[in-house]
Amino acid sequence: MGSEIMYYIPVMGAIGLIVMIAKAIWVNKQDAGDENMQKLAGYIASGASAFLKAEWKVLGIFAAIAAVLLAWSGTLHENSDWVIAIAFLIGAFFSAFAGWVGMSIATKANVRTTQAARTSLKKALQVSFNGGAVMGLGVAGLAVVGLSTLFIVFLRMYVGEAGANGVEMMKALEVLAGFSLGAESIALFARVGGGIYTKAADVGADLVGKVEAGIPEDDARNPATIADNVGDNVGDVAGMGADLFGSYVATMLATMVLGREVVSADNFDGMAPILLPMVIAGLGVLFSIIGTFFVRINKDTDSVMTALNLGNWGSMILVAVSSYPLVKWMMPETMQFVRNGVSVEITSTNVFLAIILGLVVGTLMSMVTEYYTSMGRRPVDSIVQKSGTGHGTNVIGGLAMGMESTVLPILILAAGIWGSFELAGMYGVAIAAAGMMATTAMQLAIDAFGPIADNAGGIAEMSHLPKEVRERTDNLDAVGNTTAATGKGFAIASAALTALALFAAYVGMSGITGIDIYKANVLAMLFVGGMIPFFFSSLAISAVGKAAMDMVYEVRRQFREIPGIMEGTATPEYEKCVAISTKASIREMIAPGALALLSPLVVGFLAGPEALGGLLAGITVSGVLMGMFQNNAGGAWDNAKKSFEKGVIIDGKTFEKGSEPHKAAVTGDTVGDPFKDTSGPSMNILIKLTSIVALIIAPHINESNVRSAAIAPTPTVEVVEVETVKQNVVENAFTVTEAEYN
C-alpha cells in the first residue's frame, strides 16, 4: 500500500545532511589564525564540550527512566504499544545530536570568522554564515530523515493494508509521537540548561568586568570571559538546535495526526494529507540549500541584514511557488474533514492558501520583531534615550517596550489562526504551521551565525587584533542580535500554531468534544495553566540569578587574590568560572523541566481530559505572550547597550562606552539577558511539550475508555458544506452542539 513518494522524503533530508557535511569541511579548511587565537578558541571548545558531557549524563538518566515508564504504559492500554519507548529514545538522541552538530561547528567557525575579518567583512560573513548553515541543514535534515523513516517503519508495522483513516494509522501516529516527545524533552533541558549557563557567565562578566573593573566585555583579563563565550555555544547554538529540532518535528507530527482525519480520494491510498507536511519539509530543506547561495555581500559597506533577508526571502518564495503544483498533484479538489460525526468539505486550493498564510504570518512576525529589536528604530532608540536619566528609567523603558511589542504579533497570529481555520479547518491551522516551518534550515542558519559572530568578536578582543577587525565582527554581531530575536519570534509563532493543532489532535484522542469553561474544574485549570509560564519563567530567571551571584563572587575573588590580572601579567583561572556555570546550569535546569513534564500528567490523571484541555489552553495563551514579551524586551535592551559602542546623542550630548548612560544600558541588558536567552525561548518548548505529553496520555485518560468517533470516520456520514453544517447544527442534523462542531 502507500505511494513511492514517502520513500523520497528521507532522501531529501539526506541531501540536506550531505550539503551540511560539505559546508562543514569547507569551514574546517579555513585559516584558524595565529597560535594565541587558536589557544583561546580551544578554551571555548573544551568548555562547551565539558558542559555537554555533564548535561548528557543527567539527560541520559532521565531518558532511560522515561523510556522504561513509556514502555510500561504501552502495555496498559490496547491502543498503546511499548515501541513508543524506542521512538522516544531515537527522538532524544537525534535532538541531542542536532545540538552537538551545531556546537561542534560553531566552536570551529568562531576563530575562523575572526581570522577572516582580518581580510574583509565579506569573508567573515561567508565563514560565519556557512557555520550557521551547517547547523540549520543538520537540524532540518535529521528531523526529516528521522520522522519520515520512522513513519515508514511504523506504517508497515501497524497499518499493513488498512486504510489511511483507520484505527491502525492512528496507533502508528501515536507511537510516532514518542519521537516528538523525546525531541522536545531533550530540547527543554538543553535550552533551559544552556540558557542558565550562558546568562550566568554573561551577567558575571558584565557586572564585574565592564561595570566594576571598567574593562571591555571580552577582555582576556576578565575571568568570566571564556565562560561567557562558551555560553554562546551551549545556549544559543546547542540549545537552540535542539529547540528547533523539536519544533520542526512537533509541527509535522501535529499536521499528520490531523491529516488522518481528512478523507481524501487521492492517488496515495488516502494518505496525501498525512504525507503532505513531510513532503513540504523535505522540499524546504532543498530550497533552504538554494537560499544559502543568495547570502553574500561584495564590500564592507554592503548591508549584512539585506544579504540575510535575500536568502531567507528566496527560500520562502521557492516554497510558496512550489506548494501550488505540489498540493494540486497530491490532493483531490475536494476532501472531507470528519470529526464527531460531522463532515466538513475542504478544497485543495484552500489547503494551498493556508500554507501561504503560514508563510505570511511567519514573515510578518519576523518583521515586527526586527522592528522592535533593531538599532536605529524607535523602540531601541527610546530605551537609549531613557538611559540618559539612569538605570531605573532604562529598565522601565525596556519593560514597557517589551509589553507593547506583543500587540502586533498577537493580532497577526490571531488573524493567521482564524484565517487558516476558515480555509481548511484545524487541518488548515496545522498545515499553515508546516508552511511556516518549511524553511527552518534557512531560519536556523541565519539565527546560528549570530553566536558565531559574537564569539569571533570575543576572540578578536582577547587577541588584541586591529580595530577594523573588531568593527567587522561587531557589525556581524549587531545583525546577529536582531536575527536571534526575529528567530525567537518566528519560533514562538510556529509553536502557537503547532500547539493549537496538537490540542485539536488531543481532543480527538481523549474522547472529548472540546472544553467547556462553564465547568468549574475546567475554568480552574485554565487559570492554573495561565500561571505555569510565569512560574516556569520565575524558576529559570531565579536560576540565572543564583548562578550569576556565584560567578560575580568568583570574578571578584580572582581580581582580589590573583595579582597581575589587571596588568595583564597573570592569567585568570578561566576553568573555575566554566565549572561554576556548568554545575549551576545542570543543577537548576531540573525544576523547570519537571514542571513542564509533570503538570499535564498530574492534571490529566487527577482531574480528567477536559480539565487537562483547560490547562493546555491556559499554558498556550500565557506562554505565547510571555515568550514574545521576554524575547523582544531582551533583544531591545541588548541593542540599546550596543548602540553606545557607536556613540549616541542624548539631549544634544554624545555618549559612548564607559559613560554613565552606557552603564545604565548595561544594567538593562543584564536584566534582559535571562529574558531573551533563558526563559523567553523556553516558552515555545513549554507549550509544545505539555501538549505532546497530553497527546501521549490521551488514550489512558479517555473517559469512555474507547476511541472517540473522531478517530474512525463513520462511513455513513452525510457530506455537506461548512455553512450548511452551521445552519443545521441546532436542528439536530447531527445531534451535536455548535461548540462540539467547533
Side-chain angles (χ1 to χ4, degrees), residues 556-578:
R556 285 174 176 170
R557 182 197 67 79
Q558 292 197 32
F559 278 138
R560 184 176 64 251
E561 297 180 4
I562 302 177
I565 287 184
M566 289 301 293
E567 292 75 22
T569 58
T571 301
E573 296 174 340
Y574 300 125
E575 67 280 357
K576 291 193 175 180
C577 291
V578 170

Side-chain angles (χ1 to χ4, degrees), residues 660-690:
E660 287 303 315
H662 174 248
K663 292 180 180 179
V666 170
T667 298
D669 180 43
T670 302
V671 175
D673 272 340
F675 274 29
K676 69 181 178 66
D677 290 323
T678 308
S679 59
S682 301
M683 289 296 106
N684 61 309
I685 310 176
L686 173 68
I687 63 178
K688 287 187 280 84
L689 182 58
T690 50

